[in-house]
Amino acid sequence: QVQLVESGGGLVQAGGSLRLSCAASGGSLSSFAMGWFRQAPGKEREFVAAIRWSSGTTYYTDSVKGRFTISRDNAKNTVYLQMNSLKPEDTAVYYCAARVGSIVVATTRYAYWGQGTQVTVSS
């Protein structure tokens, strides 16, 4: 059983930066893909970025390409989401998720979820 704990959210002005962390416990992540999702008020949860733990392969949704970077630290079993040039439309609760296998964008394909961390970008 994999447990995920996010941290690093907060309030930031437009154009600013935040780094989210997702600490994983409960076993080896070598066969996992790790994803970041977000959910704004009144909207469905959407895919943001993902990384294949073993290869480091990454994938991003178009709206964050060039602004967000996903990475992982093998020694700390932690996944990061570096968010730069933040926009008010990035405001949401951000969730970390994990699945065995390759990167996919569908929320229903991820078995493990963190509790979420709030990111608020003011204009």
Side-chain angles (χ1 to χ4, degrees), residues 48-67:
V48 176
I51 187 167
R52 186 74 166 91
W53 192 272
S54 57
S55 65
T57 301
T58 60
Y59 185 76
Y60 300 89
T61 193
D62 286 346
S63 62
V64 308
K65 285 180 181 176
R67 300 190 299 124

Side-chain angles (χ1 to χ4, degrees), residues 15-116:
S17 298
L18 282 175
R19 188 178 78 157
L20 305 183
S21 299
C22 173
S25 61
S28 171
L29 297 177
S30 59
S31 60
F32 278 72
M34 306 293 293
W36 284 98
F37 293 77
R38 64 187 180 187
Q39 188 167 18
K43 295 188 176 182
E44 293 188 353
R45 194 170 298 187
E46 64 174 1
F47 172 84
V48 176
I51 187 167
R52 186 74 166 91
W53 192 272
S54 57
S55 65
T57 301
T58 60
Y59 185 76
Y60 300 89
T61 193
D62 286 346
S63 62
V64 308
K65 285 180 181 176
R67 300 190 299 124
F68 291 9
T69 302
I70 188 171
S71 62
R72 87 278 197 231
D73 185 322
N74 289 322
K76 295 182 178 180
N77 251 26
T78 298
V79 175
Y80 302 99
L81 185 67
Q82 178 66 44
M83 305 186 295
N84 300 328
S85 302
L86 282 161
K87 305 175 181 180
E89 51 263 43
D90 294 318
T91 295
V93 177
Y94 282 71
Y95 297 89
C96 178
R99 68 181 303 271
V100 175
S102 59
I103 292 173
V104 298
V105 301
T107 58
T108 55
R109 303 287 294 277
Y110 286 78
Y112 305 99
W113 291 86
Q115 81 288 353

